[in-house]
Amino acid sequence: MFARAAKTLFHLLARSSSLKALASRYGMRKPTSFARRFIAGETVDEAIAAARTIEAQGLHQTLDYLGESVTTLAEADAATREYLRVIEAVKQSGIERNLSLKLTQLGLNVDRATAVDNMRRILDAAEGFFVRIDMENSPFTDVTLDVFETLWQLGYRNVGVVLQSDLFRTERDVERIDALGARIRLVKGAYKEPASIAHQRKPDVDAAFLRMMNVLLTTGTYPAIATHDPVLIDATRRFAREQQIPADRFEFQMLYGIRRDLQASLVKAGYRVRIYIPFGRQWFPYFMRRLGERPANVAFVVRGILGENRLT
Ligand code: FDA
Protein backbone atom coordinates (compact mmCIF):
# COMPACT_ATOMS: atom_id res chain seq x y z
CA MET A 1 0.00 0.00 0.00
CA PHE A 2 2.76 2.41 1.07
CA ALA A 3 4.90 1.28 -1.86
CA ARG A 4 2.06 2.05 -4.29
CA ALA A 5 1.53 5.50 -2.76
CA ALA A 6 5.26 6.24 -3.01
CA LYS A 7 5.34 5.18 -6.66
CA THR A 8 2.38 7.47 -7.40
CA LEU A 9 3.92 10.40 -5.54
CA PHE A 10 7.26 10.13 -7.31
CA HIS A 11 5.59 9.78 -10.70
CA LEU A 12 3.75 13.03 -10.00
CA LEU A 13 6.91 14.74 -8.75
CA ALA A 14 8.75 13.58 -11.89
CA ARG A 15 6.52 15.97 -13.85
CA SER A 16 7.55 19.00 -11.78
CA SER A 17 9.77 21.30 -13.81
CA SER A 18 10.97 23.27 -10.77
CA LEU A 19 12.06 20.07 -9.00
CA LYS A 20 13.78 18.98 -12.19
CA ALA A 21 15.61 22.31 -12.39
CA LEU A 22 16.69 22.00 -8.75
CA ALA A 23 17.84 18.40 -9.16
CA SER A 24 19.66 19.17 -12.41
CA ARG A 25 21.51 21.96 -10.66
CA TYR A 26 22.77 19.90 -7.73
CA GLY A 27 22.40 16.23 -8.68
CA MET A 28 25.46 15.67 -10.88
CA ARG A 29 27.68 18.64 -10.18
CA LYS A 30 30.47 16.80 -8.38
CA PRO A 31 31.62 13.17 -8.32
CA THR A 32 29.95 12.96 -4.89
CA SER A 33 26.64 14.57 -5.91
CA PHE A 34 23.54 12.60 -4.96
CA ALA A 35 22.32 11.49 -8.42
CA ARG A 36 25.68 9.83 -9.07
CA ARG A 37 24.71 6.96 -6.86
CA PHE A 38 22.38 5.79 -9.64
CA ILE A 39 23.72 7.55 -12.76
CA ALA A 40 27.26 7.10 -14.03
CA GLY A 41 27.60 10.67 -15.32
CA GLU A 42 26.45 12.90 -18.14
CA THR A 43 29.04 11.91 -20.77
CA VAL A 44 29.89 8.71 -22.60
CA ASP A 45 33.44 8.90 -21.24
CA GLU A 46 32.09 8.79 -17.69
CA ALA A 47 29.86 5.84 -18.62
CA ILE A 48 32.79 3.95 -20.14
CA ALA A 49 34.89 4.63 -17.05
CA ALA A 50 32.07 3.23 -14.88
CA ALA A 51 31.79 0.22 -17.21
CA ARG A 52 35.51 -0.48 -16.83
CA THR A 53 35.19 -0.42 -13.04
CA ILE A 54 32.20 -2.75 -13.23
CA GLU A 55 33.97 -5.18 -15.57
CA ALA A 56 37.06 -5.20 -13.35
CA GLN A 57 34.83 -6.65 -10.62
CA GLY A 58 33.84 -9.59 -12.81
CA LEU A 59 30.46 -8.07 -13.66
CA HIS A 60 29.01 -7.46 -17.12
CA GLN A 61 27.35 -4.21 -18.15
CA THR A 62 24.86 -2.60 -20.47
CA LEU A 63 25.00 1.12 -21.22
CA ASP A 64 21.84 3.20 -21.34
CA TYR A 65 22.07 6.67 -22.84
CA LEU A 66 19.17 8.18 -20.94
CA GLY A 67 16.22 9.76 -22.71
CA GLU A 68 12.54 9.05 -23.28
CA SER A 69 9.27 10.52 -24.49
CA VAL A 70 10.70 12.82 -27.13
CA THR A 71 8.06 14.94 -28.84
CA THR A 72 9.72 15.84 -32.16
CA LEU A 73 11.42 13.89 -34.91
CA ALA A 74 14.42 16.19 -34.60
CA GLU A 75 14.91 15.10 -30.97
CA ALA A 76 14.50 11.44 -32.01
CA ASP A 77 17.12 11.93 -34.69
CA ALA A 78 19.48 13.61 -32.23
CA ALA A 79 19.08 10.70 -29.78
CA THR A 80 19.74 8.20 -32.59
CA ARG A 81 22.86 10.06 -33.66
CA GLU A 82 24.00 10.13 -30.03
CA TYR A 83 23.55 6.35 -29.86
CA LEU A 84 25.67 6.00 -33.01
CA ARG A 85 28.38 8.03 -31.28
CA VAL A 86 28.08 5.85 -28.17
CA ILE A 87 28.49 2.74 -30.35
CA GLU A 88 31.69 4.15 -31.85
CA ALA A 89 33.02 5.11 -28.42
CA VAL A 90 32.27 1.65 -27.03
CA LYS A 91 34.01 0.02 -30.00
CA GLN A 92 37.07 2.20 -29.45
CA SER A 93 37.13 1.52 -25.71
CA GLY A 94 37.12 -2.27 -25.90
CA ILE A 95 34.45 -2.69 -23.21
CA GLU A 96 31.69 -5.25 -23.70
CA ARG A 97 29.24 -4.26 -26.44
CA ASN A 98 25.82 -4.11 -24.86
CA LEU A 99 23.23 -1.31 -24.96
CA SER A 100 19.78 -0.63 -23.54
CA LEU A 101 17.41 1.99 -24.96
CA LYS A 102 13.82 3.15 -25.04
CA LEU A 103 11.73 3.40 -28.20
CA THR A 104 10.07 6.68 -27.16
CA GLN A 105 13.60 8.11 -27.14
CA LEU A 106 13.77 7.22 -30.84
CA GLY A 107 10.42 8.84 -31.67
CA LEU A 108 7.88 6.05 -31.05
CA ASN A 109 5.38 8.55 -29.67
CA VAL A 110 5.75 10.82 -32.71
CA ASP A 111 5.95 8.45 -35.67
CA ARG A 112 6.29 4.70 -35.38
CA ALA A 113 7.89 4.19 -38.81
CA THR A 114 10.61 6.72 -37.94
CA ALA A 115 11.26 4.96 -34.63
CA VAL A 116 11.69 1.66 -36.51
CA ASP A 117 14.06 3.36 -38.97
CA ASN A 118 16.06 4.89 -36.12
CA MET A 119 16.26 1.53 -34.41
CA ARG A 120 17.52 -0.02 -37.66
CA ARG A 121 20.20 2.67 -37.99
CA ILE A 122 21.38 1.73 -34.50
CA LEU A 123 21.24 -2.04 -35.04
CA ASP A 124 23.03 -1.77 -38.40
CA ALA A 125 25.88 0.13 -36.75
CA ALA A 126 25.94 -2.08 -33.67
CA GLU A 127 28.21 -4.82 -34.97
CA GLY A 128 28.97 -7.32 -32.23
CA PHE A 129 26.53 -5.59 -29.85
CA PHE A 130 23.45 -6.83 -28.09
CA VAL A 131 20.75 -4.14 -27.91
CA ARG A 132 17.93 -4.40 -25.38
CA ILE A 133 14.70 -2.49 -25.89
CA ASP A 134 13.51 -1.38 -22.43
CA MET A 135 9.79 -1.64 -21.73
CA GLU A 136 8.00 1.60 -20.92
CA ASN A 137 4.55 2.14 -19.40
CA SER A 138 1.49 0.22 -20.58
CA PRO A 139 0.33 2.55 -23.40
CA PHE A 140 3.53 1.42 -25.14
CA THR A 141 3.46 -2.32 -24.44
CA ASP A 142 1.69 -3.40 -27.62
CA VAL A 143 3.56 -1.10 -29.94
CA THR A 144 6.93 -1.93 -28.38
CA LEU A 145 6.34 -5.66 -28.87
CA ASP A 146 5.07 -5.04 -32.41
CA VAL A 147 8.18 -3.02 -33.29
CA PHE A 148 10.32 -5.71 -31.72
CA GLU A 149 8.62 -8.41 -33.82
CA THR A 150 9.02 -6.27 -36.95
CA LEU A 151 12.76 -6.02 -36.30
CA TRP A 152 12.90 -9.75 -35.70
CA GLN A 153 11.07 -10.44 -38.98
CA LEU A 154 13.54 -8.14 -40.73
CA GLY A 155 16.23 -10.52 -39.59
CA TYR A 156 17.78 -8.66 -36.66
CA ARG A 157 18.94 -11.10 -34.00
CA ASN A 158 21.16 -8.84 -31.87
CA VAL A 159 18.11 -7.39 -30.14
CA GLY A 160 15.98 -8.34 -27.13
CA VAL A 161 13.10 -6.94 -25.15
CA VAL A 162 11.83 -6.51 -21.58
CA LEU A 163 8.62 -7.88 -20.01
CA GLN A 164 7.08 -6.72 -16.72
CA SER A 165 5.61 -9.20 -14.23
CA ASP A 166 3.14 -6.66 -12.82
CA LEU A 167 1.04 -6.65 -16.01
CA PHE A 168 -1.67 -9.31 -16.28
CA ARG A 169 -0.92 -9.78 -19.99
CA THR A 170 2.75 -10.64 -19.55
CA GLU A 171 2.43 -14.42 -19.20
CA ARG A 172 0.97 -14.48 -22.74
CA ASP A 173 3.68 -12.10 -23.96
CA VAL A 174 6.36 -14.40 -22.55
CA GLU A 175 4.92 -17.23 -24.67
CA ARG A 176 4.77 -14.97 -27.74
CA ILE A 177 8.37 -13.72 -27.49
CA ASP A 178 9.68 -17.09 -26.34
CA ALA A 179 8.20 -18.68 -29.47
CA LEU A 180 10.45 -16.44 -31.58
CA GLY A 181 13.51 -17.64 -29.69
CA ALA A 182 14.25 -14.06 -28.63
CA ARG A 183 15.91 -12.95 -25.42
CA ILE A 184 13.70 -11.57 -22.64
CA ARG A 185 14.67 -9.48 -19.63
CA LEU A 186 12.13 -10.13 -16.88
CA VAL A 187 11.47 -7.22 -14.47
CA LYS A 188 8.73 -6.40 -11.96
CA GLY A 189 7.77 -3.15 -13.71
CA ALA A 190 8.77 0.38 -12.74
CA TYR A 191 5.59 2.26 -13.70
CA LYS A 192 2.37 2.96 -11.86
CA GLU A 193 -0.25 0.97 -13.75
CA PRO A 194 -4.03 0.83 -13.25
CA ALA A 195 -5.64 -2.03 -11.27
CA SER A 196 -7.61 -3.05 -14.36
CA ILE A 197 -4.44 -4.28 -16.10
CA ALA A 198 -1.79 -4.80 -13.42
CA HIS A 199 -1.21 -6.48 -10.07
CA GLN A 200 -1.15 -3.87 -7.33
CA ARG A 201 0.21 -5.94 -4.43
CA LYS A 202 3.88 -6.92 -4.13
CA PRO A 203 3.08 -10.60 -3.34
CA ASP A 204 1.10 -10.85 -6.59
CA VAL A 205 3.81 -9.14 -8.67
CA ASP A 206 6.41 -11.42 -7.07
CA ALA A 207 4.34 -14.60 -7.61
CA ALA A 208 3.89 -13.71 -11.30
CA PHE A 209 7.63 -13.01 -11.54
CA LEU A 210 8.38 -16.46 -10.12
CA ARG A 211 6.01 -18.21 -12.53
CA MET A 212 7.59 -16.45 -15.50
CA MET A 213 11.11 -17.01 -14.22
CA ASN A 214 10.33 -20.77 -14.16
CA VAL A 215 9.07 -20.66 -17.75
CA LEU A 216 11.99 -18.56 -18.99
CA LEU A 217 14.65 -20.67 -17.33
CA THR A 218 13.07 -23.80 -18.76
CA THR A 219 12.17 -22.72 -22.31
CA GLY A 220 13.65 -19.25 -22.79
CA THR A 221 16.68 -18.14 -24.77
CA TYR A 222 19.33 -16.83 -22.39
CA PRO A 223 16.84 -14.97 -20.16
CA ALA A 224 17.83 -12.09 -17.91
CA ILE A 225 16.37 -12.18 -14.42
CA ALA A 226 16.48 -8.50 -13.50
CA THR A 227 15.73 -7.83 -9.85
CA HIS A 228 17.42 -6.85 -6.59
CA ASP A 229 14.93 -8.89 -4.61
CA PRO A 230 16.92 -11.48 -2.59
CA VAL A 231 13.90 -13.77 -2.26
CA LEU A 232 13.40 -13.92 -6.04
CA ILE A 233 17.11 -14.30 -6.66
CA ASP A 234 17.31 -17.20 -4.20
CA ALA A 235 14.27 -18.80 -5.82
CA THR A 236 15.93 -18.49 -9.24
CA ARG A 237 19.11 -20.08 -7.98
CA ARG A 238 17.15 -22.89 -6.33
CA PHE A 239 15.05 -23.54 -9.44
CA ALA A 240 18.14 -23.61 -11.68
CA ARG A 241 19.84 -26.06 -9.31
CA GLU A 242 16.82 -28.35 -9.10
CA GLN A 243 16.31 -28.35 -12.86
CA GLN A 244 20.06 -28.68 -13.51
CA ILE A 245 20.11 -25.52 -15.61
CA PRO A 246 23.74 -24.40 -15.92
CA ALA A 247 24.65 -20.92 -14.66
CA ASP A 248 25.70 -19.83 -18.15
CA ARG A 249 22.20 -20.37 -19.58
CA PHE A 250 20.83 -17.18 -17.96
CA GLU A 251 22.02 -14.05 -16.23
CA PHE A 252 20.99 -11.83 -13.37
CA GLN A 253 20.74 -8.10 -13.98
CA MET A 254 20.74 -5.19 -11.54
CA LEU A 255 20.80 -1.42 -11.73
CA TYR A 256 23.93 0.66 -11.25
CA GLY A 257 24.37 1.63 -7.61
CA ILE A 258 21.75 -0.74 -6.19
CA ARG A 259 22.59 -3.73 -3.96
CA ARG A 260 26.28 -3.75 -4.83
CA ASP A 261 26.77 -6.32 -2.05
CA LEU A 262 24.38 -8.72 -3.74
CA GLN A 263 25.98 -8.10 -7.15
CA ALA A 264 29.37 -9.09 -5.73
CA SER A 265 28.10 -12.14 -3.86
CA LEU A 266 26.41 -13.53 -6.99
CA VAL A 267 29.62 -13.15 -8.99
CA LYS A 268 31.49 -14.90 -6.21
CA ALA A 269 28.96 -17.75 -6.33
CA GLY A 270 29.68 -18.19 -10.07
CA TYR A 271 26.68 -16.42 -11.66
CA ARG A 272 26.70 -13.93 -14.50
CA VAL A 273 25.51 -10.51 -13.38
CA ARG A 274 24.98 -7.58 -15.72
CA ILE A 275 24.78 -4.03 -14.43
CA TYR A 276 22.57 -1.51 -16.20
CA ILE A 277 24.60 1.69 -16.38
CA PRO A 278 22.55 4.80 -17.18
CA PHE A 279 24.21 8.04 -18.22
CA GLY A 280 23.43 11.30 -20.00
CA ARG A 281 21.85 14.64 -19.30
CA GLN A 282 18.24 13.39 -19.33
CA TRP A 283 18.56 11.55 -16.03
CA PHE A 284 15.72 13.08 -14.03
CA PRO A 285 12.80 10.67 -14.91
CA TYR A 286 15.04 7.63 -14.38
CA PHE A 287 16.27 9.03 -11.08
CA MET A 288 12.71 9.69 -9.88
CA ARG A 289 11.67 6.09 -10.66
CA ARG A 290 14.53 4.88 -8.45
CA LEU A 291 13.38 7.14 -5.61
CA GLY A 292 9.81 5.91 -6.05
CA GLU A 293 10.93 2.30 -5.67
CA ARG A 294 12.59 3.01 -2.36
CA PRO A 295 11.60 6.23 -0.65
CA ALA A 296 14.47 5.67 1.84
CA ASN A 297 16.66 6.86 -1.04
CA VAL A 298 15.31 10.35 -0.47
CA ALA A 299 17.57 10.47 2.59
CA PHE A 300 20.58 10.28 0.24
CA VAL A 301 19.25 13.18 -1.75
CA VAL A 302 18.57 15.32 1.28
CA ARG A 303 22.00 14.54 2.72
CA GLY A 304 23.52 15.34 -0.67
CA ILE A 305 21.81 18.71 -0.88
CA LEU A 306 22.83 19.50 2.68
CA GLY A 307 26.39 18.76 1.68
CA GLU A 308 26.79 15.57 3.64
CA ASN A 309 27.17 13.64 0.44
CA ARG A 310 29.24 10.60 1.21
CA LEU A 311 27.24 7.70 -0.19
CA THR A 312 27.88 4.12 0.70
P1 FDA B 1 11.74 -4.56 -5.18
O1 FDA B 1 11.29 -3.21 -5.61
O2 FDA B 1 10.76 -5.43 -4.46
O3 FDA B 1 13.06 -4.39 -4.34
C1 FDA B 1 13.73 -5.49 -3.75
C2 FDA B 1 14.92 -4.93 -2.96
O4 FDA B 1 15.86 -4.35 -3.87
C3 FDA B 1 14.56 -3.78 -2.02
O5 FDA B 1 14.15 -4.27 -0.79
C4 FDA B 1 15.88 -3.02 -1.97
O6 FDA B 1 16.79 -3.65 -1.10
C5 FDA B 1 16.41 -3.15 -3.35
N1 FDA B 1 15.98 -2.03 -4.21
C6 FDA B 1 15.05 -2.07 -5.20
N2 FDA B 1 14.96 -0.86 -5.81
C7 FDA B 1 15.83 -0.05 -5.16
C8 FDA B 1 16.18 1.31 -5.33
N3 FDA B 1 15.62 2.08 -6.25
N4 FDA B 1 17.11 1.83 -4.50
C9 FDA B 1 17.71 1.06 -3.56
N5 FDA B 1 17.40 -0.24 -3.35
C10 FDA B 1 16.47 -0.79 -4.14
N6 FDA B 1 11.40 -1.66 -15.37
C11 FDA B 1 10.61 -1.43 -16.44
O7 FDA B 1 9.41 -1.16 -16.25
N7 FDA B 1 11.12 -1.49 -17.70
C12 FDA B 1 12.41 -1.82 -17.93
O8 FDA B 1 12.82 -1.88 -19.10
C13 FDA B 1 13.26 -2.07 -16.83
N8 FDA B 1 14.57 -2.40 -16.99
C14 FDA B 1 15.31 -2.81 -15.89
C15 FDA B 1 16.61 -3.29 -16.07
C16 FDA B 1 17.29 -3.81 -14.99
C17 FDA B 1 18.67 -4.37 -15.19
C18 FDA B 1 16.69 -3.84 -13.69
C19 FDA B 1 17.38 -4.42 -12.50
C20 FDA B 1 15.44 -3.31 -13.51
C21 FDA B 1 14.75 -2.77 -14.59
N9 FDA B 1 13.48 -2.24 -14.43
C22 FDA B 1 12.70 -1.98 -15.54
C23 FDA B 1 13.01 -1.84 -13.08
C24 FDA B 1 12.14 -2.91 -12.43
O9 FDA B 1 10.91 -3.00 -13.08
C25 FDA B 1 11.90 -2.58 -10.95
O10 FDA B 1 11.19 -1.36 -10.88
C26 FDA B 1 13.17 -2.46 -10.12
O11 FDA B 1 14.09 -3.44 -10.47
C27 FDA B 1 12.86 -2.58 -8.61
O12 FDA B 1 12.28 -3.82 -8.35
P2 FDA B 1 13.06 -5.07 -7.72
O13 FDA B 1 12.87 -6.21 -8.64
O14 FDA B 1 14.44 -4.75 -7.43
O15 FDA B 1 12.21 -5.45 -6.44
Side-chain angles (χ1 to χ4, degrees):
M1 182 69 185
F2 177 68
R4 296 285 317 155
K7 225 176 186 181
T8 309
L9 175 67
F10 282 95
H11 278 272
L12 287 174
L13 289 176
R15 294 196 202 135
S16 157
S17 49
S18 44
L19 196 61
K20 182 174 175 182
L22 184 75
S24 302
R25 184 150 169 221
Y26 293 107
M28 298 287 271
R29 226 170 19 167
K30 293 185 281 176
T32 50
S33 295
F34 59 83
R36 288 194 186 250
R37 182 188 174 97
F38 302 111
I39 292 124
E42 293 195 339
T43 67
V44 68
D45 288 344
E46 288 171 301
I48 287 172
R52 287 210 168 96
T53 306
I54 295 279
E55 289 185 357
Q57 294 163 41
L59 296 154
H60 300 264
Q61 48 78 21
T62 178
L63 293 189
D64 170 35
Y65 169 62
L66 290 164
E68 55 196 88
S69 311
V70 306
T71 52
T72 65
L73 291 182
E75 286 174 283
D77 181 59
T80 306
R81 277 186 286 108
E82 196 52 43
Y83 258 106
L84 297 177
R85 273 196 290 274
V86 171
I87 286 168
E88 280 316 306
V90 168
K91 284 181 182 167
Q92 296 290 320
S93 72
I95 61 167
E96 192 183 353
R97 300 179 176 195
N98 199 301
L99 299 176
S100 294
L101 49 72
K102 292 185 172 47
L103 290 179
T104 66
Q105 183 178 18
L106 305 184
L108 187 64
N109 213 6
V110 191
D111 179 51
R112 174 183 159 157
T114 306
V116 173
D117 284 348
N118 288 341
M119 193 62 204
R120 294 184 69 181
R121 285 162 69 193
I122 291 171
L123 291 174
D124 288 339
E127 195 197 331
F129 279 74
F130 181 75
V131 181
R132 180 81 62 175
I133 300 175
D134 285 348
M135 186 57 80
E136 302 180 64
N137 49 343
S138 57
F140 296 104
T141 314
D142 264 327
V143 65
T144 300
L145 293 180
D146 287 350
V147 167
F148 176 73
E149 280 192 335
T150 302
L151 294 166
W152 197 263
Q153 280 153 11
L154 287 167
Y156 291 100
R157 292 293 178 272
N158 58 336
V159 61
V161 74
V162 179
L163 293 174
Q164 300 150 324
S165 76
D166 63 343
L167 297 185
F168 298 151
R169 58 175 286 164
T170 298
E171 294 185 54
R172 282 195 315 279
D173 291 334
V174 164
E175 275 178 36
R176 170 179 166 190
I177 303 299
D178 238 6
L180 299 173
R183 283 161 63 169
I184 295 172
R185 174 199 290 155
L186 181 64
V187 301
K188 290 191 187 182
Y191 300 89
K192 182 192 169 316
E193 300 291 358
S196 53
I197 61 163
H199 299 293
Q200 304 294 306
R201 296 172 53 247
K202 176 176 160 61
D204 296 331
V205 176
D206 290 359
F209 191 103
L210 285 178
R211 285 196 299 276
M212 288 183 264
M213 175 275 287
N214 288 359
V215 171
L216 286 174
L217 254 59
T218 313
T219 65
T221 305
Y222 195 65
I225 306 302
T227 179
H228 317 90
D229 190 329
V231 176
L232 300 186
I233 289 170
D234 283 350
T236 305
R237 294 176 65 171
R238 204 165 42 247
F239 184 76
R241 226 176 12 252
E242 285 163 6
Q243 303 297 315
Q244 299 183 331
I245 296 163
D248 62 0
R249 289 270 307 280
F250 64 98
E251 67 183 31
F252 289 109
Q253 294 191 351
M254 296 191 203
L255 300 175
Y256 183 75
I258 299 183
R259 291 304 309 260
R260 286 171 287 204
D261 54 338
L262 196 50
Q263 299 169 10
S265 69
L266 284 170
V267 172
K268 206 165 159 214
Y271 294 96
R272 285 198 192 160
V273 184
R274 186 174 305 281
I275 306 303
Y276 181 106
I277 304 179
F279 73 98
R281 292 177 62 81
Q282 306 295 322
W283 50 266
F284 186 69
Y286 175 90
F287 179 68
M288 292 304 277
R289 284 196 288 277
R290 302 296 76 83
L291 293 192
E293 278 155 5
R294 195 158 181 261
N297 288 336
V298 173
F300 292 122
V301 178
V302 174
R303 283 215 300 273
I305 290 174
L306 294 177
E308 185 193 318
N309 39 24
R310 271 181 58 82
L311 303 178
T312 52

